[in-house]
Amino acid sequence: MKLFSPSKLTRTYISALSLIALLTLATFFAMHQVILTQSDSALLVNISGSQRWLSQKAALLSVELVYSSNTSDRKQIREQLSETIAQLQSNHQTLIEDSTHIIPSHCLSPQMQEMYFSPPVNMHTRLNRYLSEALALAQDPEHLLTPNNSHLIYLLQESGNILESLDQIVSLHQKESEAKVHQLRLVEITSGLVILITLAFLGLYIFRPLANTLLMERFQLENANQELSFLSSIDGLTGIANRRHFDQFLNQLWLLATHNREPIALILCDIDFFKAYNDTYGHLQGDECLKEVAASLKGSLKRQGDFIARYGGEEFVVVLPNTTVEGAVIVAETLRVSVENLEIPHRLSSVTPKVTISLGIAVGHANLANSPTPLIEAADKALYQAKQNGRNCFRLAEA
């Protein structure tokens, strides 16, 4: 074995530590930049995404302004329309200018410059025209607020094109954000690889103290991932579990119930005539309806192990561990009554002039030879039968 002089070992040791220190700083800087970039990009995407919703709101308010026959309602709609236009203009200025005081890393890329200021999209000119037409409509006297109003006609014709262009801009923002993060990730990965090679060469005398640091970073990253995982398992609108969380929960419960030989009850709930509700009261009120129904369903579950999630759209799913048919029927009726007792008006419902739900119940025993899919399908068929039998009721799937 070749031996090196102490002075050479010392120089090598110090050089290696210096290299590791520099690379560690580079890695920390890259991680810091990734976090900043993701945060800034999320804000940028949210602002550009809100433009889509605000443009739809402006078009909807314009239609309501023209077709409203009540003077006080029209005054309120004019105010809302003016506020929406002002928010659209403010967001637009933030997006097209280098607003580093709002979004520190924001500056328009050449591709984004082209989207906003060059044909064929030319979003800056089109959006300003769209806003000026909306503002002109908001300021028109009462006798000009007719279906033939030129401002209204332009808004309705241009609304779809504006939405399509805004979708392109949001998509481009997301792609640019992903590209920035990818570059920073490469820097981070490269620095990490060189660190590992240097540590392997020098052995445990350097690796051990650095390993403790890396383990601490890993612990922090895992905690952050757990927090992100929790946030990703919650439905953003209703605050209950989302479909992804439901799939994970049911698969885990399936294995546990297989081991314990316990029955599982599954209840699918669907808001009756929800599309008609949205068409009548608007999507914003529809969102409020979903929140109230979700809260009512969740509040009706008394056992700690009972689980509720938003299954999709206006559908919710309830999972009842170790529950028999009799118990599931009692819970289903409790859920149905709780929603009916909310007394949410629904004048287009052919069942009763308030919001109701239909429910499908399926109860089965888990086993390793099967997945939970047949149980879900059985509950879905039972829900269909409940709808066919007049709604605002539940049906039990066949054994």
Side-chain angles (χ1 to χ4, degrees), residues 271-282:
I271 300 177
D272 297 326
F273 306 106
F274 187 72
K275 184 180 183 302
Y277 185 93
N278 268 341
D279 293 341
T280 305
Y281 301 96

Side-chain angles (χ1 to χ4, degrees), residues 317-332:
V317 60
V318 174
V319 183
L320 307 173
N322 192 20
T323 301
T324 61
V325 171
E326 293 77 11
V329 167
I330 292 174
V331 173

Side-chain angles (χ1 to χ4, degrees), residues 243-260:
R243 176 68 176 271
R244 174 178 175 270
H245 192 187
F246 161 72
D247 292 335
Q248 294 175 344
F249 176 84
L250 185 57
N251 287 330
Q252 293 172 356
L253 179 63
W254 194 261
L255 295 176
L256 181 62
T258 299
H259 180 267
N260 296 334

Side-chain angles (χ1 to χ4, degrees), residues 6 17 19 73 90 102 125 132 171 202 223 229 270 344:
L17 285 181
L19 176 61
D73 287 347
S90 175
I102 300 176
T125 302
S132 65
S171 177
L202 292 175
N223 285 342
S229 178
D270 185 82
I344 302 175

